[in-house]
Amino acid sequence: MSEGTYFSKAELMVAQAAREIADGERVFVGMRLPLIAFVVAKRTHAPSAVGLFELGIVRDEPSPELLYTMGDTPNVAGAVWCARTIDLMGLLQRGDIDAGFIGGAEIDRHGNLNTTAIGPDRMHPDVQLPGSGGGGDIASLARRLIVIMPHDRRRLREKVDFVTSPGYGNGRGWRERQGLARGGPSVLITTLGVFRFVDGEAVLASFHPGSSVERIRAETGWDLRVAADVRETEPPSAEALRVIREYDPHGFWTRREE
Amino acid sequence: MSEGTYFSKAELMVAQAAREIADGERVFVGMRLPLIAFVVAKRTHAPSAVGLFELGIVRDEPSPELLYTMGDTPNVAGAVWCARTIDLMGLLQRGDIDAGFIGGAEIDRHGNLNTTAIGPDRMHPDVQLPGSGGGGDIASLARRLIVIMPHDRRRLREKVDFVTSPGYGNGRGWRERQGLARGGPSVLITTLGVFRFVDGEAVLASFHPGSSVERIRAETGWDLRVAADVRETEPPSAEALRVIREYDPHGFWTRREE
Amino acid sequence: MPGKIFSLPESVARFVPDGSSVALGCALEPAIPFAFAHELIRQGRRDLELIGPISDIAFDQLIGAGCVRGVTAAWIGNVSAGLAHAYRRAMEQGVPRRIEVHDHTNFTIAQALLAGALGAPYLPTRTILGSDIARANPTFREATDPFSGDRVLLVPAIAPDVTVIAAQRADADGNTHLWGPWGVSQEAALAAKAVIVLADEIVERAVIASDPNRTIVPGTKVAAVVHEPGACHPSPLQGRYRRDHDFYREYHAATRTAEGQSAWLAEWVTGVPDRAAYLAKLGPRWVALRDYGRPAAEVRY
Amino acid sequence: MPGKIFSLPESVARFVPDGSSVALGCALEPAIPFAFAHELIRQGRRDLELIGPISDIAFDQLIGAGCVRGVTAAWIGNVSAGLAHAYRRAMEQGVPRRIEVHDHTNFTIAQALLAGALGAPYLPTRTILGSDIARANPTFREATDPFSGDRVLLVPAIAPDVTVIAAQRADADGNTHLWGPWGVSQEAALAAKAVIVLADEIVERAVIASDPNRTIVPGTKVAAVVHEPGACHPSPLQGRYRRDHDFYREYHAATRTAEGQSAWLAEWVTGVPDRAAYLAKLGPRWVALRDYGRPAAEVRY
């Protein structure tokens, strides 16, 4: 790719998320950016990854057209398994699923996510959010969790108002004490940078082109930890951008904010 | 039917069992005689009864040909639901099933059945029997239980060696104490007579043509209780015999002992 | 038995009194019986307890119309367009009324309905241990797995008064074929006291019986069969019609205010007498969504 | 991936070491993978733990051949012909060896496998409370339902090392279509560490993907796909061949004694190199069982 090729924040996030999927893995694929990340991974370095959709679909080839929801008819036609939600959730609870994607309205330094409600009283919220869907399950049960979120101080908070999807609770050992058998966030990809989780705590691993450690510190609601080898996030490859733009030609999901 | 029309013991038992099915009922149908009883009921007085087969089949019309097992291909073709065993067992546990049929190697006066093993030590049996199959479940969970068995002293015992399928335990109130939500045997149809259960105990209601209270007493391993209005079992109607012989033309199940 | 065939208004009038618990939208994003939700609104049902995993905008419409006392769900929003405004107004401002929420996840609600279908009192799970959902929903209990000593969450059974299933075809007895994702539809149907089927097509019993593995619920569980073509719009029905993505976006934009919500309901629900009129109002837009897809490979029984 | 296609002997050699726990016959009377049981016998497998609801005579043959250490089952017999002689000899006389039995019912084994498929530690049930099965099987526990205070039986999860599924068709990745009764097949497959599929026909992926609701197990759970036509005889496979009732009767008559059992195994199992030879030995009798049935009504995706 030539220097200076334009890409959107969403395209960068998708390309980064795609790198988190290894070949042959079984991945719980959400909608929007994670779905497109799965498409990119499949068509680049992970041709035998398998995508599982919580409503009850397994695909070894991405749907041929852009999806607005996982239940769109093109996602069903050509699937290899169309089943029940509980069949897929059973695989997840068994530990058969390598990775899952989720997003959230709020996240804290330990990777706990809130998608339920903003405010101190869940039953009388300041802002009512949609809720868990399968997010709480994926966060609890997948072998590892990939989180994708917009980055600002009101979203990356010292403490979230409600833990919909458990991360590492208050730190190392918490998941085991709760009875969560495995998992936890491995990476948080935001609009500004990439965090890895070390001992149950988010550590900034890279800042996106155009962003910086200082900007991220200013936009993060907790005392930022920064990796010794922090560096700029690798830009999307030309191949990844080609796949993204082929799959989402009008930029419905990947060029929204531009 | 003219007096003296010949019928086998099995035909009499089938006709009696068919009378136990009311129209519109949902019935867990076993194989052999109960299956044919279901066919007779459907084609005579219970046209809208529904038959459920524990391997995962629901039929509102009997299979067009004689079955040797419930999984025979003619029992699947033309079914209205072909599902999983647990779907059917779920209906049973919910209390959605009106009646179930089972047989057994041994039964006691409280309707407890043994189909597991003869002898004092189940792990070193004198005679190893096949086991419960779904019998224990039907006896535990159907709204009422219809039992069909050959009649002799070694089978109708004071106490069975092993309770595979719980009846009334040691009598009234036992099922409730165990946590069994409902059910229990309503009738025991043998090769010699018909018993009804009163307060959790078998009471002879009728003796088949050719049998007698005294013969039944001699062939029963417990102290026989006899209903005040004991009488001869009603013979099969001409219509029932016609259906039985149409469905089992070679008498594979209904004229075995002749 | 033609005794099970009802019109949509009759099925609501007869089987869904005020205060009923109603599961619908159980296939998640597809096959949502919007026609049924709209008829509940037209008949002015009150104090309903809604049960379903994500519901897309069907629950939002019922909440906005004031039909709902409580919701047992994993997610209430607009899948392709964002938050659910009527749900927000109800929770944040009590407009048009306060509702009681029992938070679930997709897995816990699936387990609750499966327990209901199995006649089991509860299912034990390891999901959402330590989360605030586990604490906020008072129907859950934490317990110790006696086999391993591990912590487990016990999810109690849910048995809806009525489960509504939209499907491609059913016979007059209610034996129903549904293809495409089942989500939690089968558990919800088997767990229910009564099932109402909205069939895109009513077929002879022989069609159903030619392929009994395709049956999602047998007639013996079904109280009413309604012939209601196009019942799921704007959600899709596999092999019949696609999802109307724009409709969700338009609903989102139109319902930002309570007044907008009322106007939307007046236009699309109370302002049309029935589903046929609704589809006619959609006009060529509806026709353009029809998609009969490709045939499944042959199977012989 | 042609990497998942194995011959029957390879599939046994590679995925079923001595001492494995093996679930088979999970559709109950139909679709029993007799070919697989016979190959286990030919390769002299020892100390197997068999898991299955009723097994018809497949478990009896494996027990008679001395392959079996233990059985977890609801019923072991000959469905249309009577008792299972080899099982009787093993339990009554320790011939050819003692086996350990864990008694189940069809419902409890279904629940144990469903718990395995769900990754749940156990399922609670009301069945067989007060029975001697509940007492004789030490893996069960009685407990109190904390919601109601009622007694419940806790059935712990079973996760077989290998589940063997016989089906009409699969693709080379192991995506498998099975129609006819599923029994406990799907739970057993999803609960297993590895699944081996015996497919009557290997098809292109597009055939499977044309009808994904027909899939009983996705390729991602499958370790080996074996192309083995006629694998289920004498049990039936819907739309392919009927049940050979006489064969069960003949087996029953031939195996009354240990010598008779050995002679039967020598004739029908160790005396034939593979399934093709077995079917050839059946000759016209096999041809007469073929039955392609009637087509299912069209479905479009």
Side-chain angles (χ1 to χ4, degrees):
Chain A
M1 192 182 96
S2 63
E3 286 290 326
T5 299
Y6 171 77
F7 48 83
S8 72
K9 281 177 190 165
E11 286 172 333
L12 177 70
M13 293 165 81
V14 164
Q16 181 61 36
R19 292 185 195 113
E20 302 291 330
I21 301 173
D23 197 20
E25 287 196 321
R26 289 169 285 201
V27 183
F28 246 62
V29 182
M31 276 298 103
R32 308 190 177 201
L33 303 190
L35 169 75
I36 301 172
F38 174 68
V39 175
V40 172
K42 281 288 293 184
R43 297 199 180 154
T44 58
H45 64 280
S48 59
V50 174
L52 301 99
F53 298 83
E54 64 195 69
L55 83 170
I57 294 172
V58 175
R59 293 193 72 96
D60 57 10
E61 287 176 8
S63 73
E65 53 182 281
L66 185 72
L67 301 179
Y68 292 72
T69 82
M70 53 180 87
D72 290 1
T73 50
N75 202 37
V76 177
V80 292
W81 194 27
C82 188
R84 303 172 309 160
T85 295
I86 204 154
D87 296 325
L88 281 284
M89 290 293 179
L91 296 178
L92 189 66
Q93 186 166 244
R94 282 175 50 80
D96 288 352
I97 305 305
D98 298 298
F101 285 95
I102 67 173
E106 296 184 337
I107 191 168
D108 69 21
R109 71 167 74 208
H110 296 299
N112 304 296
L113 283 134
N114 177 15
T115 57
T116 298
I118 307 288
D121 180 355
R122 186 270 166 274
M123 294 306 161
H124 298 83
D126 298 333
V127 181
Q128 176 64 57
L129 305 169
S132 163
D137 307 311
I138 296 168
S140 299
L141 301 169
R143 294 199 164 275
R144 67 179 197 282
L145 186 66
I146 301 158
V147 184
I148 301 186
M149 278 181 58
H151 197 139
D152 71 52
R153 278 190 83 82
R154 289 163 308 146
R155 289 172 173 274
L156 277 70
R157 295 180 59 184
E158 176 64 33
K159 191 166 170 6
V160 296
D161 284 332
F162 188 95
V163 177
T164 311
S165 299
Y168 297 102
N170 55 15
R172 184 152 56 161
W174 180 88
R175 288 181 74 89
E176 294 76 2
R177 289 194 300 277
Q178 302 308 309
L180 295 168
R182 69 187 80 85
S186 66
V187 64
L188 163 62
I189 302 168
T190 75
T191 37
L192 297 180
V194 176
F195 295 78
R196 302 279 166 190
F197 285 82
V198 178
D199 290 342
E201 199 179 330
V203 177
L204 183 68
S206 71
F207 48 89
H208 297 338
S211 180
S212 66
V213 172
E214 281 323 298
R215 170 142 184 232
I216 289 171
R217 194 184 310 277
E219 290 288 352
T220 299
W222 63 76
D223 191 13
L224 189 71
R225 279 183 63 189
V226 180
D229 63 346
V230 67
R231 55 191 180 78
E232 191 173 84
T233 308
E234 194 183 333
S237 70
E239 196 187 2
L241 283 178
R242 185 185 51 74
V243 174
I244 292 168
R245 290 166 186 180
E246 212 174 87
Y247 196 73
D248 185 14
H250 304 295
F252 186 86
W253 296 123
T254 51
R255 273 172 287 155
R256 302 206 111 186
E257 76 266 62
E258 325 297 319
Chain B
M1 190 182 99
S2 63
E3 286 291 325
T5 299
Y6 170 78
F7 49 83
S8 72
K9 280 178 191 163
E11 286 171 334
L12 177 70
M13 292 163 82
V14 164
Q16 181 61 36
R19 292 184 196 114
E20 303 291 330
I21 301 172
D23 197 21
E25 286 196 321
R26 289 170 284 201
V27 183
F28 247 61
V29 181
M31 276 297 104
R32 308 191 178 202
L33 303 192
L35 170 74
I36 302 172
F38 174 68
V39 175
V40 171
K42 281 288 292 185
R43 297 197 180 155
T44 57
H45 64 280
S48 59
V50 174
L52 301 98
F53 299 83
E54 63 195 71
L55 83 170
I57 295 172
V58 175
R59 292 193 72 96
D60 57 11
E61 287 177 8
S63 74
E65 54 182 280
L66 186 71
L67 301 179
Y68 292 73
T69 81
M70 55 181 86
D72 290 0
T73 49
N75 202 38
V76 178
V80 292
W81 194 27
C82 189
R84 303 173 307 158
T85 294
I86 204 154
D87 295 324
L88 282 284
M89 290 293 180
L91 295 179
L92 190 65
Q93 186 166 246
R94 281 174 51 80
D96 287 352
I97 306 304
D98 298 298
F101 286 96
I102 67 173
E106 297 184 338
I107 191 168
D108 69 20
R109 71 166 76 206
H110 296 299
N112 303 296
L113 282 134
N114 176 15
T115 57
T116 298
I118 308 286
D121 180 355
R122 188 267 166 274
M123 295 305 161
H124 298 84
D126 299 334
V127 182
Q128 176 64 56
L129 305 169
S132 162
D137 306 311
I138 297 168
S140 299
L141 301 169
R143 293 199 164 274
R144 67 179 197 280
L145 186 67
I146 301 158
V147 184
I148 302 185
M149 279 182 56
H151 197 140
D152 71 51
R153 278 191 83 82
R154 290 163 308 147
R155 289 173 172 272
L156 278 67
R157 294 180 59 186
E158 176 64 29
K159 190 166 170 10
V160 297
D161 284 332
F162 188 96
V163 177
T164 310
S165 299
Y168 296 102
N170 57 14
R172 184 153 55 160
W174 180 88
R175 288 180 75 89
E176 293 76 4
R177 289 195 299 278
Q178 301 307 308
L180 296 168
R182 69 186 81 85
S186 66
V187 64
L188 163 63
I189 302 168
T190 75
T191 37
L192 298 180
V194 176
F195 295 78
R196 302 279 167 188
F197 286 81
V198 178
D199 289 341
E201 200 179 328
V203 176
L204 185 67
S206 71
F207 48 88
H208 296 338
S211 179
S212 67
V213 172
E214 281 324 298
R215 171 139 183 239
I216 289 171
R217 195 185 309 277
E219 290 288 354
T220 299
W222 64 74
D223 190 13
L224 190 69
R225 279 182 63 189
V226 180
D229 62 345
V230 69
R231 57 193 180 76
E232 191 173 84
T233 308
E234 193 183 334
S237 69
E239 195 187 1
L241 284 177
R242 183 183 55 70
V243 174
I244 293 168
R245 290 167 187 179
E246 212 174 85
Y247 196 73
D248 185 14
H250 305 295
F252 185 87
W253 296 122
T254 50
R255 272 169 289 156
R256 304 205 110 184
E257 76 266 64
E258 324 297 318
Chain C
M1 288 160 240
K4 285 193 189 170
I5 300 269
F6 291 87
S7 72
L8 182 60
E10 284 168 345
S11 75
V12 168
R14 184 146 171 175
F15 296 105
V16 194
D18 284 354
S20 298
S21 63
V22 182
L24 60 79
C26 293
L28 282 74
E29 289 92 346
I32 301 172
F34 277 99
F36 196 87
H38 291 185
E39 185 60 26
L40 289 170
I41 295 170
R42 276 194 291 267
Q43 294 197 20
R45 280 293 164 282
R46 286 295 175 267
D47 295 324
L48 299 177
E49 167 77 18
L50 300 180
I51 300 166
I54 65 151
S55 83
D56 217 336
I57 57 175
F59 284 11
D60 195 60
Q61 293 172 10
L62 286 159
I63 291 167
C67 304
V68 180
R69 165 180 47 88
V71 177
T72 293
W75 197 91
I76 303 171
N78 183 322
V79 174
S80 54
L83 301 180
H85 298 302
Y87 176 48
R88 285 194 61 182
R89 276 188 292 275
M91 292 302 291
E92 296 168 18
Q93 307 162 37
V95 172
R97 59 166 292 182
R98 288 233 154 264
I99 58 175
E100 193 183 339
V101 173
H102 289 123
D103 288 316
H104 271 262
T105 69
N106 284 344
F107 191 18
T108 62
I109 201 163
Q111 290 174 96
L113 291 166
L114 179 58
L118 293 179
Y122 59 87
L123 292 192
T125 183
R126 296 177 195 277
T127 198
I128 60 166
L129 288 165
S131 74
D132 286 329
I133 305 177
R135 274 182 278 274
N137 183 332
T139 72
F140 297 150
R141 270 174 198 259
E142 281 211 14
T144 301
D145 166 8
F147 296 97
S148 67
D150 291 346
R151 288 172 74 174
V152 286
L153 188 73
L154 307 185
V155 179
I158 293 178
D161 293 330
V162 178
T163 290
V164 185
I165 300 287
Q168 288 90 348
R169 62 193 181 200
D171 70 18
D173 285 341
N175 299 298
T176 302
H177 279 183
L178 175 68
W179 58 99
W182 281 11
V184 302
S185 302
Q186 188 170 49
E187 300 90 319
L190 296 177
K193 298 185 187 73
V195 175
I196 298 175
V197 173
L198 269 57
D200 204 55
E201 188 183 359
I202 303 288
V203 295
E204 291 298 313
R205 182 190 169 286
V207 173
I208 302 296
S210 77
D211 194 1
N213 284 94
R214 190 78 70 188
T215 302
I216 186 166
V217 59
T220 184
K221 287 288 301 187
V222 174
V225 182
V226 178
H227 183 214
E228 197 71 359
C232 306
H233 177 275
S235 75
L237 188 62
Q238 199 71 31
R240 304 286 166 129
Y241 44 91
R242 297 165 66 99
R243 189 172 188 270
D244 189 347
H245 308 301
D246 289 339
F247 200 87
Y248 288 86
R249 190 173 44 71
E250 293 159 15
Y251 175 80
H252 187 70
T255 59
R256 285 185 191 281
T257 63
E259 297 68 35
Q261 181 80 35
S262 298
W264 192 93
L265 291 170
E267 180 177 0
W268 288 100
V269 182
T270 52
V272 291
D274 56 25
R275 196 64 174 177
Y278 170 104
L279 297 176
K281 181 171 157 63
L282 283 170
R285 174 177 185 165
W286 167 242
V287 176
L289 292 167
R290 306 301 305 229
D291 180 353
Y292 300 99
R294 281 167 301 181
E298 188 187 63
V299 156
R300 303 179 70 92
Y301 278 86
Chain D
M1 290 160 239
K4 286 193 189 170
I5 300 270
F6 291 87
S7 72
L8 182 60
E10 285 168 344
S11 75
V12 168
R14 182 146 173 177
F15 296 106
V16 195
D18 285 353
S20 298
S21 63
V22 181
L24 59 79
C26 293
L28 283 75
E29 290 92 346
I32 300 172
F34 277 99
F36 196 87
H38 291 184
E39 185 60 27
L40 290 170
I41 296 171
R42 277 195 290 268
Q43 294 196 22
R45 279 293 165 283
R46 287 296 175 267
D47 295 324
L48 298 177
E49 166 78 16
L50 300 180
I51 300 166
I54 66 151
S55 84
D56 217 334
I57 58 175
F59 284 10
D60 195 59
Q61 294 172 11
L62 287 158
I63 291 167
C67 303
V68 179
R69 164 178 49 86
V71 178
T72 294
W75 197 91
I76 303 172
N78 183 324
V79 174
S80 54
L83 301 181
H85 298 303
Y87 176 48
R88 287 195 58 183
R89 277 189 292 276
M91 292 303 291
E92 295 169 17
Q93 307 161 39
V95 173
R97 61 166 292 185
R98 287 233 153 264
I99 58 175
E100 194 183 336
V101 172
H102 288 123
D103 288 316
H104 271 262
T105 68
N106 284 344
F107 191 18
T108 62
I109 200 162
Q111 289 174 98
L113 291 166
L114 179 58
L118 293 179
Y122 59 87
L123 292 193
T125 182
R126 295 176 195 277
T127 198
I128 60 166
L129 288 165
S131 75
D132 286 329
I133 305 177
R135 275 181 278 274
N137 184 332
T139 72
F140 297 150
R141 270 173 197 260
E142 281 210 14
T144 300
D145 165 9
F147 296 96
S148 67
D150 291 347
R151 288 173 73 174
V152 286
L153 188 74
L154 306 186
V155 179
I158 293 178
D161 293 330
V162 179
T163 290
V164 185
I165 300 287
Q168 288 92 347
R169 63 191 180 202
D171 69 19
D173 285 341
N175 299 298
T176 302
H177 280 182
L178 175 68
W179 59 98
W182 281 12
V184 303
S185 301
Q186 188 171 47
E187 299 90 316
L190 296 177
K193 297 184 187 72
V195 174
I196 299 176
V197 173
L198 271 56
D200 204 55
E201 187 184 358
I202 303 287
V203 295
E204 292 298 315
R205 181 190 170 290
V207 172
I208 303 297
S210 78
D211 194 2
N213 284 94
R214 189 79 70 190
T215 301
I216 186 165
V217 60
T220 185
K221 287 289 301 186
V222 174
V225 181
V226 178
H227 184 212
E228 198 69 1
C232 305
H233 176 275
S235 74
L237 188 63
Q238 198 71 32
R240 304 288 166 130
Y241 44 91
R242 296 166 67 98
R243 189 171 187 270
D244 188 347
H245 308 300
D246 289 340
F247 200 87
Y248 287 85
R249 189 174 44 71
E250 293 158 15
Y251 175 80
H252 187 69
T255 59
R256 286 185 191 280
T257 64
E259 298 69 34
Q261 180 82 35
S262 298
W264 191 92
L265 291 170
E267 181 177 359
W268 287 100
V269 181
T270 53
V272 291
D274 57 23
R275 196 65 176 178
Y278 171 103
L279 296 176
K281 182 171 157 62
L282 283 171
R285 173 178 186 164
W286 166 241
V287 176
L289 292 167
R290 306 300 306 232
D291 181 354
Y292 299 99
R294 281 167 301 180
E298 188 186 64
V299 156
R300 304 179 70 92
Y301 279 86

Coordinates of all heavy atoms in Angstrom, one line a residue, chain B residues 93 178-179, chain C residues 119-122, chain D residues 122-127 129 140-146 148-155:
Chain B
Q93 N -42.8 -34.5 30.8 CA -42.5 -33.9 32.1 C -43.3 -32.7 32.4 O -43.6 -32.4 33.6 CB -41.0 -33.6 32.2 CG -40.5 -33.2 33.6 CD -39.0 -33.1 33.7 OE1 -38.5 -33.9 34.5 NE2 -38.3 -32.3 33.0
Q178 N -42.2 -38.7 47.1 CA -41.0 -38.8 46.3 C -40.7 -37.6 45.4 O -39.6 -37.4 44.9 CB -41.1 -40.0 45.4 CG -41.3 -41.3 46.1 CD -40.3 -41.6 47.1 OE1 -39.1 -41.5 46.9 NE2 -40.7 -41.9 48.3
G179 N -41.8 -36.8 45.2 CA -41.6 -35.6 44.3 C -42.2 -35.9 42.9 O -42.0 -35.1 42.0
Chain C
G119 N -40.3 -29.0 31.0 CA -41.0 -29.2 32.3 C -39.9 -29.3 33.5 O -40.2 -29.8 34.5
A120 N -38.7 -28.7 33.3 CA -37.7 -28.7 34.3 C -37.9 -27.4 35.1 O -38.3 -26.4 34.6 CB -36.3 -28.7 33.7
P121 N -37.6 -27.4 36.4 CA -37.8 -26.2 37.2 C -36.8 -25.1 36.9 O -37.2 -23.9 37.0 CB -37.6 -26.7 38.7 CG -36.9 -28.0 38.6 CD -37.3 -28.6 37.3
Y122 N -35.6 -25.5 36.4 CA -34.6 -24.5 36.2 C -33.5 -25.2 35.4 O -33.4 -26.4 35.3 CB -34.0 -23.9 37.5 CG -33.4 -24.9 38.4 CD1 -32.1 -25.3 38.3 CD2 -34.2 -25.5 39.4 CE1 -31.6 -26.3 39.1 CE2 -33.7 -26.5 40.2 CZ -32.4 -26.9 40.1 OH -31.8 -27.9 40.9
Chain D
Y122 N -25.1 -30.3 34.8 CA -26.2 -31.3 35.1 C -27.5 -30.7 34.7 O -27.6 -29.5 34.4 CB -26.2 -31.7 36.6 CG -26.5 -30.5 37.5 CD1 -27.8 -30.1 37.8 CD2 -25.4 -29.8 38.0 CE1 -28.0 -29.0 38.6 CE2 -25.6 -28.7 38.8 CZ -26.9 -28.3 39.1 OH -27.2 -27.2 39.9
L123 N -28.5 -31.5 34.6 CA -29.9 -31.0 34.4 C -30.8 -31.6 35.6 O -30.6 -32.7 35.9 CB -30.5 -31.4 33.1 CG -30.0 -30.8 31.8 CD1 -30.9 -31.1 30.6 CD2 -29.7 -29.4 31.9
P124 N -31.7 -30.8 36.1 CA -32.6 -31.3 37.1 C -33.8 -31.8 36.5 O -34.4 -31.3 35.6 CB -32.9 -30.0 37.9 CG -32.8 -28.9 36.9 CD -31.8 -29.3 35.8
T125 N -34.3 -32.9 37.1 CA -35.5 -33.6 36.5 C -36.4 -34.2 37.6 O -35.9 -34.4 38.8 CB -35.1 -34.7 35.5 OG1 -36.3 -35.2 35.0 CG2 -34.3 -35.8 36.2
R126 N -37.6 -34.4 37.3 CA -38.6 -35.0 38.2 C -38.8 -36.5 37.9 O -39.5 -37.2 38.5 CB -39.9 -34.4 38.2 CG -40.0 -33.0 38.7 CD -41.4 -32.4 38.5 NE -41.4 -30.9 38.6 CZ -41.4 -30.3 39.8 NH1 -41.5 -31.0 40.9 NH2 -41.4 -29.0 39.8
T127 N -38.1 -37.0 36.8 CA -38.4 -38.4 36.4 C -37.7 -39.3 37.3 O -36.7 -39.0 38.0 CB -38.0 -38.6 34.9 OG1 -38.6 -39.8 34.5 CG2 -36.5 -38.8 34.8
L129 N -37.9 -40.3 40.2 CA -37.8 -40.1 41.7 C -38.4 -41.3 42.4 O -39.5 -41.7 42.1 CB -38.5 -38.8 42.1 CG -37.8 -37.5 41.7 CD1 -38.7 -36.3 41.8 CD2 -36.5 -37.3 42.5
F140 N -26.0 -40.2 39.7 CA -27.1 -39.3 40.0 C -27.1 -38.8 41.4 O -26.5 -39.4 42.3 CB -28.5 -40.0 39.8 CG -28.8 -40.5 38.4 CD1 -29.6 -41.6 38.3 CD2 -28.3 -39.8 37.3 CE1 -29.9 -42.1 37.0 CE2 -28.6 -40.3 36.0 CZ -29.4 -41.5 35.9
R141 N -27.7 -37.6 41.6 CA -27.8 -37.1 43.0 C -29.2 -36.6 43.2 O -29.8 -35.9 42.3 CB -26.9 -35.9 43.2 CG -25.5 -36.2 43.7 CD -24.7 -34.9 43.7 NE -23.3 -35.3 43.8 CZ -22.6 -35.2 44.9 NH1 -23.2 -34.8 46.0 NH2 -21.4 -35.6 44.9
E142 N -29.8 -36.8 44.3 CA -31.0 -36.1 44.6 C -30.7 -34.8 45.3 O -29.7 -34.6 45.9 CB -31.9 -36.9 45.6 CG -32.6 -38.1 44.9 CD -33.9 -38.4 45.5 OE1 -34.4 -37.7 46.3 OE2 -34.4 -39.5 45.1
A143 N -31.6 -33.8 45.0 CA -31.4 -32.4 45.6 C -32.8 -31.8 45.8 O -33.8 -32.4 45.4 CB -30.6 -31.6 44.6
T144 N -32.7 -30.6 46.3 CA -34.0 -29.8 46.5 C -34.0 -28.7 45.5 O -33.0 -28.0 45.4 CB -34.0 -29.3 48.0 OG1 -34.0 -30.4 48.8 CG2 -35.3 -28.5 48.2
D145 N -35.0 -28.5 44.8 CA -35.2 -27.4 43.9 C -35.3 -26.1 44.8 O -36.3 -26.0 45.6 CB -36.5 -27.6 43.1 CG -36.9 -26.3 42.4 OD1 -36.2 -25.3 42.4 OD2 -38.0 -26.4 41.8
P146 N -34.4 -25.2 44.7 CA -34.4 -24.1 45.7 C -35.6 -23.1 45.4 O -35.9 -22.3 46.3 CB -33.1 -23.4 45.5 CG -32.6 -23.8 44.1 CD -33.2 -25.2 43.9
S148 N -38.8 -24.1 44.5 CA -40.1 -24.7 45.0 C -40.0 -25.5 46.3 O -41.0 -25.8 46.9 CB -40.7 -25.6 43.9 OG -39.9 -26.7 43.8
G149 N -38.8 -25.9 46.6 CA -38.6 -26.8 47.7 C -38.9 -28.3 47.3 O -38.8 -29.2 48.2
D150 N -39.2 -28.5 46.1 CA -39.5 -29.9 45.6 C -38.2 -30.7 45.5 O -37.2 -30.2 45.3 CB -40.2 -29.9 44.3 CG -41.6 -29.3 44.3 OD1 -42.2 -29.2 45.5 OD2 -42.2 -29.0 43.3
R151 N -38.4 -32.1 45.6 CA -37.3 -32.9 45.3 C -37.0 -33.0 43.8 O -38.0 -33.0 43.0 CB -37.6 -34.4 45.8 CG -37.6 -34.5 47.3 CD -38.0 -35.8 47.7 NE -37.0 -36.9 47.4 CZ -37.2 -38.1 47.9 NH1 -38.2 -38.5 48.5 NH2 -36.2 -39.0 47.6
V152 N -35.8 -33.0 43.4 CA -35.4 -33.2 42.0 C -34.2 -34.2 42.0 O -33.5 -34.3 42.9 CB -35.0 -31.9 41.3 CG1 -36.2 -31.0 41.0 CG2 -33.9 -31.1 42.1
L153 N -34.1 -34.8 40.8 CA -32.9 -35.6 40.5 C -32.0 -34.8 39.7 O -32.4 -34.3 38.6 CB -33.4 -36.9 39.8 CG -32.3 -38.0 39.6 CD1 -32.0 -38.7 41.0 CD2 -32.8 -39.0 38.6
L154 N -30.7 -34.8 40.0 CA -29.7 -34.1 39.2 C -29.0 -35.1 38.3 O -28.4 -36.1 38.8 CB -28.7 -33.3 40.0 CG -29.3 -32.3 41.0 CD1 -28.2 -31.6 41.7 CD2 -30.3 -31.4 40.4
V155 N -29.1 -35.0 37.0 CA -28.5 -35.9 36.0 C -27.2 -35.2 35.5 O -27.3 -34.2 34.8 CB -29.4 -36.2 34.9 CG1 -28.8 -37.1 33.9 CG2 -30.8 -36.8 35.4

